[in-house]
Amino acid sequence: MKKKVAVAMSGGVDSSLVAAILLQKNFEVIGVTMLLFGNENQDFIADAKKVADCLGIKHYVADFRKTFRAEVEDYFVAEYLQGKTPNPCVRCNCKIKFGKLFDFAMELGADFLATGHYAQIVFEDNRFKLKKAADIFKDQSYVLYNLTPEKLAKIILPLGTFSKSDTRNLAEKFNLPVAKKPDSQEICFVPEDDYKKYLLERADKKSAALQPGEIINTESKILGKHNGAAFYTIGQRKGLGIANPTPLYVLQLDAANKKVIVGSNAELFSDTLTAENVNWIYQPELPAKLQAKIRYGNKIFDCEVSEENNLLRVKFSESVRAITAGQSVVFYDGDELLGGGLIKK
């Protein structure tokens, strides 16, 4: 009897290829496209349907707009209003793709949920492990640290051993109607990738983070004015509007007090952080020497991780630039992703 797999189909090249590959591997494949926001410009649903029809598989649309707004969009706004810089993709993967969609797939009778993420799930040492993609420049394991061992057993990531050129070439060989479709890079729910405009439309205008305030240095000297702390990010240099003999960078955001603190590039570096809301896929005995990423990308740092006052304390072997509250710190042991949490300080 064939195993049934639900493929998260976004209408893009990657997820479409996943469906084709799993069909070729003799799975019973169904496609599911998530409706997450808005009522217009839903070409992605039409594209996913075209692919499903091309492959001869059933296609479902799951309306998660209410949950997405509460769990991702509202979270995104709330974090900025607290002077943090959120990663909505991490949140979406946790709450929506491998939360609501996973449950929806199981309700449809699927044995597995498959996605187009570039990461690998392998069974080694009598357990399922989440590992980096073979193509380190496409690796998306960072955004998947909230998965659990139980879910890893029911998730398939067919693209983990592929490069992007492999994906494009295979999509053309399968004659998929979206084979030449460009990749999407922006935050999906923020029009024109203009998060400042989005905040002004969605947030409470009375929030302190949206009010004008002072730009100060670490000695509390007033250097200029700003239009809202929420519109700045740690490490930012451009757009400060301050004349200074040496370059200035955003070091800290004190949204509650309407302050943006700036300083030199050297002051952006730190070798420690604390993390909260931690999820371990596989928890090592702490303290442990691991590797960590503090943002999406391929830069990774050696560190020692320990527990301190119900938080994780991370001590890096070298100073790290622009550690940012609200972003995720994700821990690896070699190629295996062990877990992660939200940077608190």
Side-chain angles (χ1 to χ4, degrees), residues 12 19 24 36 48 58 67 85 98 117 120 130 179 205 240 245 262 288 313-314 325 332 335:
Q24 191 179 60
L36 300 178
K58 291 182 179 179
T67 304
T85 304
F98 298 105
H117 286 95
Q120 301 182 74
L130 178 61
K205 304 296 189 299
L240 297 180
V262 299
R313 183 176 187 274
V314 182
Y332 295 85
D335 287 337

Side-chain angles (χ1 to χ4, degrees), residues 33 55 91 105 114 133 161 170 178 195 198-199 226 243 277 284 324 338:
T33 301
L55 297 174
R91 182 79 170 190
T161 59
L170 271 175
V178 295
Y195 87 94
Y198 180 83
L199 288 179
H226 66 76
N277 298 332
T324 304
L338 301 182

Side-chain angles (χ1 to χ4, degrees), residues 155-201:
I155 294 169
I156 302 175
L157 306 177
L159 305 187
T161 59
F162 293 2
S163 68
K164 189 63 185 184
S165 60
D166 293 334
T167 303
R168 290 282 179 187
N169 291 336
L170 271 175
E172 290 187 8
K173 287 181 180 179
F174 278 111
N175 293 314
L176 297 177
V178 295
K180 296 185 182 299
K181 187 175 180 179
D183 292 337
S184 176
Q185 301 292 338
E186 300 85 14
I187 299 172
C188 65
F189 59 89
V190 177
E192 300 175 350
D193 206 29
D194 188 347
Y195 87 94
K196 295 179 182 179
K197 180 179 178 182
Y198 180 83
L199 288 179
L200 288 171
E201 291 175 349

Side-chain angles (χ1 to χ4, degrees), residues 8-17 19 31-33 41-55 57 59-61 175-184:
M9 297 181 69
S10 66
V13 179
D14 293 340
S15 60
S16 299
L17 181 60
V32 182
T33 301
N41 301 320
Q42 294 174 10
D43 293 343
F44 65 95
I45 295 177
D47 285 344
K49 181 68 166 60
K50 284 180 187 176
V51 174
D53 289 345
C54 176
L55 297 174
I57 63 175
H59 179 250
Y60 301 84
V61 176
N175 293 314
L176 297 177
V178 295
K180 296 185 182 299
K181 187 175 180 179
D183 292 337
S184 176

Side-chain angles (χ1 to χ4, degrees), residues 204-228:
D204 181 354
K205 304 296 189 299
K206 296 180 181 179
S207 170
L210 301 181
Q211 302 303 310
E214 298 168 343
I215 299 176
I216 62 174
N217 63 16
T218 53
E219 297 175 346
S220 298
K221 180 181 178 181
I222 299 173
L223 303 179
K225 302 289 184 179
H226 66 76
N227 291 322

Side-chain angles (χ1 to χ4, degrees), residues 215 224-225 232 236-242 248-250 260 262:
I215 299 176
K225 302 289 184 179
Y232 296 80
Q236 178 178 334
R237 176 184 174 185
K238 294 182 178 180
L240 297 180
I242 300 172
L248 292 173
Y249 301 81
V250 176
V260 172
V262 299

